[in-house]
Amino acid sequence: MTPRIVNVVASGTLGRELDVYTVAEDIDAPVVKFPETSYSHPVVYLRSREEGPMATVFRSGSYHITGGDSVEETEELKKWLVTRLHRLGIEVDATFDIRNVVVVGDLATDVDLNQLVVHLGLTQTEYEPEQFPGVIYRPSGFSCVFLIFASGRVVVTGADSADTAFNGFDQLKTELSPILDSS
């Protein structure tokens, strides 16, 4: 399985406070929802299409975008949000930062997790099978975290770009090749 992006998380600010109730009533969006929980601060969820990523917009003007399948799709939702606010006469000065790109890949073989922990080193790994069924690997030279499962499935999280996540997965495969080749 070729590694693929399964989630992109971004955040930013619109540079001003918003009346999210008015925005929710007036914005041209196919999906507008208020959370069912009791947030201490008003928030609205917006999607530009049913199955697309979601923007969570707070009264403070900060926002989060989750659920994108690519950085481009996530950026498109931010542009859509800003355009819709401008159409409502709300001028914003939006910032935008990718916070987390989650990639899933496969090592194409089963992995002995006990052997893996020894190979990667006890100081950079966490493995408590009673708590979590995989190895959590936080290597010092990487800017991402790897969740490695006995099936060979790997989740790369914490990367601030798609390149970082994909390169991290490739470097992990290289680092694990001595024990994967012997399986």
Side-chain angles (χ1 to χ4, degrees):
M1 164 204 227
T2 302
R4 64 182 176 83
I5 296 174
V6 294
N7 189 22
V8 177
V9 177
S11 66
T13 181
L14 299 169
R16 63 172 297 160
E17 287 190 6
L18 298 172
D19 179 345
V20 294
Y21 298 108
T22 301
V23 168
E25 288 176 10
D26 296 340
I27 199 163
D28 176 25
V31 181
V32 179
K33 293 182 181 176
F34 285 100
E36 309 247 340
T37 61
S38 58
Y39 272 107
S40 59
H41 302 287
V43 60
V44 64
Y45 298 131
L46 303 169
R47 291 182 195 261
S48 62
R49 56 188 170 80
E50 275 301 319
E51 301 301 320
M54 180 175 63
T56 304
V57 182
F58 299 88
R59 180 183 67 196
S60 66
S62 66
Y63 68 94
H64 303 284
I65 297 175
T66 58
D69 291 334
S70 69
V71 171
E72 295 77 19
E73 182 182 42
T74 305
E75 289 172 341
E76 283 301 314
L77 183 59
K78 177 256 185 185
K79 290 176 189 173
W80 174 89
L81 174 63
V82 168
T83 299
R84 292 302 182 279
L85 291 172
H86 283 166
R87 287 182 185 167
L88 294 175
I90 302 170
E91 293 301 315
V92 296
D93 183 21
T95 63
F96 179 82
D97 292 302
I98 299 297
R99 299 293 182 192
N100 186 15
V101 177
V102 181
V103 167
V104 172
D106 199 318
L107 299 171
T109 186
D110 289 346
V111 179
D112 178 332
L113 296 181
N114 291 311
Q115 181 184 11
L116 179 72
V117 168
V118 171
H119 177 78
L120 295 174
L122 297 174
T123 60
Q124 298 182 96
T125 57
E126 294 176 40
Y127 181 46
E128 297 180 39
E130 309 82 29
Q131 302 292 321
F132 183 72
V135 171
I136 302 170
Y137 178 41
R138 292 182 173 92
S140 56
F142 293 79
S143 60
C144 45
V145 175
F146 303 92
L147 310 176
I148 307 164
F149 298 91
S151 65
R153 179 75 61 128
V154 176
V155 177
V156 183
T157 188
D160 61 1
S161 74
D163 286 343
T164 299
F166 288 125
N167 290 338
F169 180 77
D170 290 342
Q171 290 177 21
L172 177 69
K173 280 178 41 177
T174 300
E175 186 173 350
L176 297 182
S177 65
I179 64 166
L180 297 179
D181 293 341
S182 66
S183 310

